[in-house]
Amino acid sequence: MTIKPGSPVLSQNFAIPTIPSVVQRIQRLLEDPNAGVRDIAAVVAQDAPLAAKVLKIANSSFYGLREKVVSTQHAASVLGVRVLRGVVMQASVIRQFEHLSGGGLDLDALWRHSIATAQLCQQTGRKARGSIGLAPEELHACGLLHDLGKVVLLDNLRERYLQVVNEARERSLPLHHVEREHLGFDHAEVGHVVAQRWGLPAAMANAILLHHGPAERCEREPAALLIERVNRCVHLVEDGDLEAATAVFDRVTTQTLGLQQRDVEELITLAAELRGSVEV
Ligand SMILES: [Fe+2]
Ligand SMILES: [Fe+2]
């Protein structure tokens, strides 16, 4: 399913956020063979509030650093540039939507969910022996951005979107179903458009689009399957249902991704740890 020009998402004339410029600059530095860790850290350090957020995240219990990092240079050398890029993307995307906090949607909970999904996607990618088609860092970004469409919808529609969210809650229906009923499209489609506008690879945009299924489609596309299953798993862990979260990694999933039972157990343990340790 691709969003064609004239489809409901695009015809709404939505304000689609641009890719945070710092992420773009880091991306360029990563592609430059003459640039090193220092250059990347320096770019982050130029933006003081962003640097503060990056240090807060880097020092959160998730990374389990033995010493506290106090500068972006230090964070870059301890975490490595690829992990640092993920942390910067996380911090800058959250900051881009700070103006919406207190606006009726629990954004902190949404970011915690997105970050936990990102970490678990990355870890699943590392463990997978099957061919996924995306690197662990790219899977991290997919996890981080999979529900970004919700934030974009809130930003554009405000009260109208809050009504959709409330209605989904009252009727105990998945939010994307109610979005489709009212708007004609859902947050996965909006996320897909954002990913395309940001110039992310098609496989990443596609995995974001398919993060609620359909299962038959995901089963043919390992990266989409990974994101869909991890998202479901994280939601179930958030609800405290570890048994159901484990069952998400069924035979089709473990075979397609090349995961063993031990990997699944470790992933569930990580998901449970993330539940209490993610900071935003
Ligand atoms: Fe979603
Ligand atoms: Fe989600």
Side-chain angles (χ1 to χ4, degrees):
M1 182 172 33
T2 47
I3 309 287
K4 297 179 190 74
S7 79
V9 181
L10 292 180
S11 64
Q12 293 263 339
N13 228 341
F14 264 35
I16 300 290
T18 51
I19 186 165
S21 59
V22 62
V23 173
Q24 217 169 14
R25 260 183 290 158
I26 289 179
Q27 189 59 37
R28 263 186 246 126
L29 286 172
L30 283 171
E31 285 159 11
D32 178 354
N34 297 317
V37 180
R38 288 186 150 271
D39 304 290
I40 291 168
V43 167
V44 181
Q46 275 167 16
D47 182 334
L50 178 72
K53 222 172 191 0
V54 165
L55 292 179
K56 188 177 165 205
I57 295 170
N59 285 313
S60 68
S61 57
F62 174 75
Y63 292 101
L65 301 182
R66 255 177 276 129
E67 44 177 341
K68 195 170 173 272
V69 290
V70 291
S71 69
T72 55
Q73 292 286 356
H74 193 184
S77 61
V78 178
L79 297 174
V81 281
R82 294 196 179 265
V83 173
L84 182 72
R85 178 179 56 167
V87 172
V88 170
M89 187 182 248
Q90 190 175 310
S92 50
V93 168
I94 293 175
R95 204 175 53 151
Q96 202 167 14
F97 292 99
E98 246 163 16
H99 61 281
L100 293 174
S101 63
L105 194 71
D106 188 349
L107 278 188
D108 277 2
L110 188 133
W111 295 131
R112 273 198 294 274
H113 164 71
S114 304
I115 294 165
T117 307
Q119 305 287 14
L120 204 64
C121 284
Q122 182 171 24
Q123 209 43 42
T124 308
R126 284 202 188 119
K127 288 182 182 297
R129 290 164 199 84
S131 153
I132 307 298
L134 288 177
E137 298 81 36
E138 293 174 311
L139 293 167
H140 181 280
C142 289
L144 182 68
L145 302 175
H146 78 282
D147 275 338
L148 190 64
K150 290 185 190 176
V151 189
V152 176
L153 283 168
L154 177 68
D155 202 10
N156 280 277
L157 303 174
R158 304 288 168 118
E159 201 46 49
R160 193 172 158 217
Y161 187 60
L162 291 177
Q163 281 170 8
V164 173
V165 173
N166 286 336
E167 189 182 317
R169 201 174 298 137
E170 279 159 18
R171 292 167 64 197
S172 302
L173 285 173
L175 178 57
H176 59 279
H177 286 194
V178 183
E179 287 168 351
R180 260 185 245 139
E181 261 178 45
H182 283 265
L183 310 171
F185 55 87
D186 63 26
H187 66 264
E189 291 171 77
V190 177
H192 182 243
V193 173
V194 175
Q196 287 178 322
R197 296 261 168 99
W198 286 16
L200 301 181
M204 287 176 70
N206 197 44
I208 291 171
L209 175 66
L210 295 173
H211 80 262
H212 304 124
E216 322 80 71
R217 180 82 195 274
C218 290
E219 281 162 15
R220 280 182 271 127
E221 300 180 41
L225 181 71
L226 188 152
I227 306 295
E228 193 258 342
R229 295 296 141 107
V230 169
N231 174 47
R232 214 135 43 92
C233 170
V234 172
H235 279 295
L236 288 163
V237 170
E238 283 162 359
D239 295 342
D241 195 343
L242 293 188
E243 208 176 306
T246 308
V248 165
F249 292 91
D250 56 10
R251 211 162 57 93
V252 177
T253 309
T254 52
Q255 275 179 358
T256 308
L257 304 182
L259 294 171
Q260 284 164 5
Q261 204 44 46
R262 227 188 96 178
D263 299 322
V264 173
E265 283 160 23
E266 285 170 7
L267 290 170
I268 299 296
T269 306
L270 173 63
E273 277 168 19
L274 285 167
R275 193 178 170 213
S277 66
V278 171
E279 295 212 27
V280 291

